[in-house]
Amino acid sequence: MTLRPIALLISALALSHQVQAADFVFLNEDVLQQNRTILQSKAASDSMKQAYERLLEEADIAMQQAPFSVAEKGMTPPSGDKHDYMSISPYWWPDETKADGLPWIRHDGKTNPASKTTETDSRRIGNFTRSTRAVALAYYFSQDEAYAKKGIEFVRTWFLNEATKMNPNVNYGQGVPGRAEGRRGGIIDTRTLADRMLDAIAILSQSKHWTEQDEQQIKQWYSEYLDWLIVDDLSGGPKGEAAAANNHGTWYDFQVASIAYFIGNDHLTKQMVQKGKMRVDTQFEADGSQPHEIERTRAYHYHYFSIVPLVGIAELGEKVGVDLWNYENDKGGSMAQGIQLMANYHDPAVKWPYSQKDDRRRVERMTSIYLKAGESLNKPQWIKLAKDTDFSQFSVKKNLAEVWEQRDIELLYHKQ
């Protein structure tokens, strides 16, 4: 398979470190090893043991799943190739004033159930990435090769096997009937191929079931996908995701930065971390608020959702020598101010000053951000906020996002 010129140029000019998949992108193996050792001793706290039990519960559910493939969807993309990823934009609905409902119209914050069926791939990619991450982490902490074998089967089916693999593009992501077969905004669907999958693959590559062919093919797939991200988005000009002013743009930068690091391209990673300063310039006010997210009907959620990728980019900056954590724009706004704003409203009893359609703010979803930023910026009050959060009332079957936050704090990011 031949890479297009831009990927060849990137590889030729900027391949800075030779990596194996086992090189972690966001996780730190020293932290993982220490926490695995604690789990096997009598020193593990009740919360740590609970996080591990919930991880195994989620992983055991994933073990019962058949491998996931984009070729399974009911609809066929406009290309005629079911290997192309396809989804429907979630906040768009048929126009009830038109006989055929076309073109669809937008209702921000109101999810159309038609966007979440097996006819398209948006639910499938979520199930795939979270299932693979769960079995990979269960393998790491339990050292049970059965989990690794299942995770590698998931990876091979989604990325590598000719009959089932996803083509490395998102040409038909978040289409809107009557308006567009696919939109640049669809790239946000595939953020989980970076934030959930890269370190999961790194863990799985430690297994005896991982082969050199797996290694070569997964790096090839991500190289081609990175190539598509750069070339196709540039062709969109000012309408491309790279130019998006809100969280979409940051998630695009996050994907490019993390995948570049995964395949060994430190130079491109560093460029994207530097670009993170532009995100701070355009997204944060002095009080930490984010005007582009205030506009949304779920402003709390989107403030959180915009900070997540920027924190990930800052973590990568630590690895390539660019400090994004302490960067401040001309208005006095910064990522730190944005995190502090959220901390000010961590207590659900304190009224959020902007729009919020959700019944519950789900403040627990910020906790791993408080932990990561607190350790990097020496903010013990944020670390305490994360560690003091009560996760006992949540369950794998009903509250996965909160369960993941507890896992991040107890097992993945914090030295006990």
Side-chain angles (χ1 to χ4, degrees), residues 60-68 127 131 150 153-154:
D60 288 341
I61 292 171
M63 290 289 284
Q64 305 306 313
Q65 300 294 314
F68 305 90
N127 289 337
S131 296
K150 186 69 172 183
E153 181 185 20
F154 285 157

Side-chain angles (χ1 to χ4, degrees), residues 112-128:
N112 186 339
S115 69
K116 304 296 182 182
T117 73
T118 57
E119 289 294 297
T120 63
D121 291 314
S122 62
R123 283 189 64 188
R124 187 171 290 104
I125 198 171
N127 289 337
F128 158 63

Side-chain angles (χ1 to χ4, degrees), residues 187-304:
I187 293 173
I188 205 165
D189 285 10
T190 49
R191 67 189 184 277
T192 56
L193 296 182
D195 72 333
R196 295 179 185 174
M197 287 304 301
L198 298 180
D199 284 330
I201 292 169
I203 291 171
L204 294 172
S205 73
Q206 298 179 359
S207 167
K208 64 183 181 181
H209 298 291
W210 185 261
T211 68
E212 182 62 31
Q213 184 178 24
D214 293 328
E215 179 79 21
Q216 293 173 354
Q217 288 184 316
I218 199 66
K219 290 294 177 64
Q220 179 75 9
W221 193 95
Y222 272 101
S223 293
E224 293 181 10
Y225 177 60
L226 178 62
D227 181 22
W228 179 86
L229 277 173
I230 295 170
V231 175
D232 196 77
D233 199 69
L234 285 176
S235 69
K239 295 183 179 179
E241 284 292 89
N246 64 357
N247 67 81
H248 276 256
T250 315
W251 277 111
Y252 172 87
D253 294 350
F254 172 91
Q255 285 198 56
V256 173
S258 58
I259 294 171
Y261 189 83
F262 179 71
I263 65 173
N265 189 334
D266 286 359
H267 180 71
L268 181 56
T269 303
K270 185 176 289 188
Q271 285 184 315
M272 299 310 293
V273 179
Q274 290 285 8
K275 187 182 175 186
K277 297 177 181 179
M278 179 273 285
R279 297 296 178 192
V280 173
D281 289 342
T282 59
Q283 292 180 350
F284 291 92
E285 297 295 324
D287 64 356
S289 63
Q290 301 177 57
H292 297 298
E293 311 307 337
I294 288 174
E295 297 172 356
R296 308 299 296 271
T297 59
R298 301 167 63 213
Y300 180 88
H301 167 78
Y302 280 105
H303 273 67
Y304 147 79

